[in-house]
Amino acid sequence: MEYHQSHTSSLFYIFHFESYTSSISHTTSNYILIYLSNNGYIFIFISGCLFSFGHGGEVALHFMMRDHGGFEGNGQTLRIVSNLEPFSESNGMNLARRTLLGLIKYPQTLEQLTAKKTPNIPTSFRQLKANDWHPPKGIYQDDLDTLNWILAPLSEKDKAQFQQINVRKTGHNKTIYKSLDCSIMELADDIAYGIHDLEDAIVTGVVRREDFEQHVINKLQHLNDEWLQQISNHLSKQLFSQKTYQQKEAIGGLVNYLITAITLVDLNETAGTKFEEPLLRYNAQHPKVARQALQIFKDFVFDFVIKRTEIQHHEYRGQQIVMELFEALASDPMRLLPNNARNRYQHAVENGLNSYRVIADYVSGMTDDFATNLYQSLFVPSNTRNHHDLHI
């Protein structure tokens, strides 16, 4: 089996939406990509997942899995769709190679990417510093067979080049390349993060107009783009208007600008690569000014939304809950895990597999509410608690 061939003459349409799911997240970001090639339409549905209590849950699970292969959101996404989803006996959603290739943002294992210097282990969970335990971005060693299957159609040269890493003196190593479909997904994710998350923050009153004008409008006006300079004159008024349609018009204009600015780039010409496979050779990218504009919005969301004290308190609380749950479940898995997870755990033990990965799978599949309720059920004395809603 081979990948569908990509073409240099193409158009992209990206639809982003968020849905509340049973995965370990507040919301799951989903993307429908319509890729118009010379030979017609190719539809690609890509679903990304976040984890309980934001990245605090990811950090917590990575810390608890530090001696058992680590934990990372993108690697878990691949594991969910290729292994855990119950649509086939052992292949998850049973997706085609191209779809899975589009999900892999970092095509290398965590073992190859982890920093050589390990942070000091805190004396208690409450002393864990999130910045010390952010995971490298990659695939689990437990899912190496899946990764090898996805990359099997590639030539050995393409495979080696695609999996190259940037070795860093400090911090985790990073992969360099991604497929065409993945590059489009990443742009969709960035646009959703920078624009739609901004819209939510404005509607809910999280950010102030004065901060937006100082840190976004002023910077946009210095970019060499006539449309951006023109829209910046009234963007703040529209976004902070009490009339919803004006907000929607402004958001729609920004999204349209950022999508239509996307270009198809030949990495063999621009980056000196020597890829034979078109899905690796071509990437969707923003030109310089559009990239700078989107970065301005992303930086604002990070500084004035994500880093808000209230958000960090929520992540820290979730971080503690996730670590406590993992420790408890790992202490006596055959007693505390629900039936399905217990069966998977027993299968892993009997077949010499990574049984701790099963516990991480279970905890990472919880919603915030479920994790909180389970935590209270295990650790908080109560005579009135209803246990029937917990899958124990």
Side-chain angles (χ1 to χ4, degrees):
M1 181 186 296
E2 296 182 354
Y3 309 111
H4 293 293
Q5 297 300 301
S6 61
H7 303 270
T8 56
S9 177
S10 357
L11 292 173
F12 306 103
Y13 292 89
I14 304 169
F15 298 89
H16 167 265
F17 59 95
E18 291 184 343
S19 60
Y20 289 86
T21 70
S22 59
S23 67
I24 189 170
S25 65
H26 308 297
T27 58
T28 294
S29 291
N30 303 284
Y31 310 99
I32 296 177
L33 159 68
I34 304 180
Y35 172 62
L36 283 70
S37 71
N38 289 335
N39 291 345
Y41 298 85
I42 298 174
F43 293 86
I44 303 169
F45 174 78
I46 299 174
S47 175
C49 66
L50 299 174
F51 301 90
S52 312
F53 307 103
H55 286 290
E58 181 184 44
V59 167
L61 283 172
H62 180 59
F63 174 74
M64 300 305 292
M65 289 289 291
R66 63 192 181 278
D67 296 324
H68 309 288
F71 184 91
E72 195 275 324
N74 296 279
Q76 189 68 17
T77 295
L78 177 65
R79 183 169 176 80
I80 289 170
V81 300
S82 65
N83 183 284
L84 300 180
E85 285 288 345
F87 293 94
S88 66
E89 183 176 357
S90 59
N91 297 310
M93 296 179 71
N94 202 27
L95 299 174
R97 278 189 173 98
R98 174 168 180 175
T99 305
L100 295 174
L101 184 68
L103 282 171
I104 301 176
K105 294 177 68 174
Y106 312 101
Q108 192 51 272
T109 60
L110 298 188
E111 280 74 4
Q112 299 295 321
L113 299 166
T114 301
K116 293 182 180 180
K117 185 177 180 180
T118 303
N120 294 327
I121 306 298
T123 56
S124 72
F125 290 159
R126 292 188 179 184
Q127 294 179 346
L128 182 76
K129 295 182 179 179
N131 286 340
D132 291 343
W133 289 96
H134 282 297
K137 303 295 185 181
I139 308 300
Y140 304 142
Q141 189 72 24
D142 298 320
D143 297 318
L144 183 58
D145 287 346
T146 299
L147 178 61
N148 289 336
W149 180 82
I150 296 170
L151 303 183
L154 300 177
S155 67
E156 290 301 317
K157 290 183 178 180
D158 268 8
K159 188 185 302 183
Q161 186 171 205
F162 184 55
Q163 294 188 280
Q164 284 180 358
I165 61 176
N166 179 17
V167 178
R168 308 173 72 192
K169 293 182 179 180
T170 59
H172 299 305
N173 300 329
K174 292 187 176 182
T175 58
I176 303 172
Y177 302 109
K178 56 182 64 69
S179 71
L180 169 62
D181 299 337
C182 185
S183 70
I184 301 171
M185 178 189 71
E186 188 168 48
L187 285 170
D189 192 30
D190 286 347
I191 293 171
Y193 173 79
I195 307 302
H196 289 293
D197 285 5
L198 170 64
E199 178 185 17
D200 292 340
I202 291 175
V203 170
T204 55
V206 171
V207 298
R208 300 188 311 158
R209 180 170 178 173
E210 294 80 5
D211 292 329
F212 179 78
E213 290 176 349
Q214 178 181 350
H215 296 277
V216 176
I217 298 299
N218 288 347
K219 293 179 181 180
L220 289 178
Q221 290 175 340
H222 286 87
L223 295 181
N224 185 24
D225 186 288
E226 183 178 351
W227 186 84
L228 286 174
Q229 292 179 358
Q230 180 180 359
I231 195 176
S232 65
N233 291 327
H234 52 81
L235 182 60
S236 181
K237 180 180 179 180
Q238 284 184 293
L239 287 176
F240 288 87
S241 170
Q242 297 302 310
K243 299 178 179 179
T244 303
Y245 78 90
Q246 291 188 353
Q247 295 176 331
K248 294 297 182 183
E249 284 181 358
I251 292 296
L254 290 170
V255 171
N256 179 70
Y257 168 81
L258 291 169
I259 289 179
T260 56
I262 296 172
T263 59
L264 193 63
V265 176
D266 185 341
L267 297 181
N268 288 0
E269 294 181 358
T270 62
T273 60
K274 297 181 180 179
F275 285 121
E276 299 169 1
E277 167 58 50
L279 285 174
L280 305 185
R281 176 176 176 176
Y282 297 100
N283 268 195
Q285 294 182 2
H286 268 146
K288 181 180 178 180
V289 174
R291 184 169 63 250
Q292 291 174 331
L294 181 54
Q295 191 62 49
I296 290 171
F297 285 102
K298 289 171 59 180
D299 289 344
F300 181 78
V301 170
F302 181 79
D303 292 335
F304 288 88
V305 181
I306 303 301
K307 299 304 291 183
R308 282 174 62 90
T309 303
E310 299 92 328
I311 300 297
Q312 293 306 306
H313 284 178
H314 179 76
E315 288 198 2
Y316 177 82
R317 171 176 170 269
Q319 188 176 298
Q320 303 306 308
I321 290 175
V322 168
M323 289 188 289
E324 294 277 5
L325 287 179
F326 190 101
E327 183 180 54
L329 295 170
S331 71
D332 197 349
M334 297 303 293
R335 177 188 180 191
L336 298 177
L337 289 175
N339 290 336
N340 182 54
R342 184 166 62 245
N343 291 338
R344 291 183 57 241
Y345 179 88
Q346 186 170 5
H347 177 268
V349 171
E350 292 174 351
N351 290 274
L353 303 176
N354 186 357
S355 57
Y356 287 92
R357 182 65 61 198
V358 177
I359 300 173
D361 290 339
Y362 176 57
V363 176
S364 69
M366 298 178 184
T367 62
D368 289 5
D369 287 343
F370 184 91
T372 300
N373 289 338
L374 180 57
Y375 177 89
Q376 292 176 344
S377 175
L378 291 174
F379 302 116
V380 180
S382 173
N383 294 325
T384 59
R385 178 137 194 90
N386 183 358
H387 297 276
H388 297 294
D389 59 345
L390 296 176
H391 301 165
I392 310 179

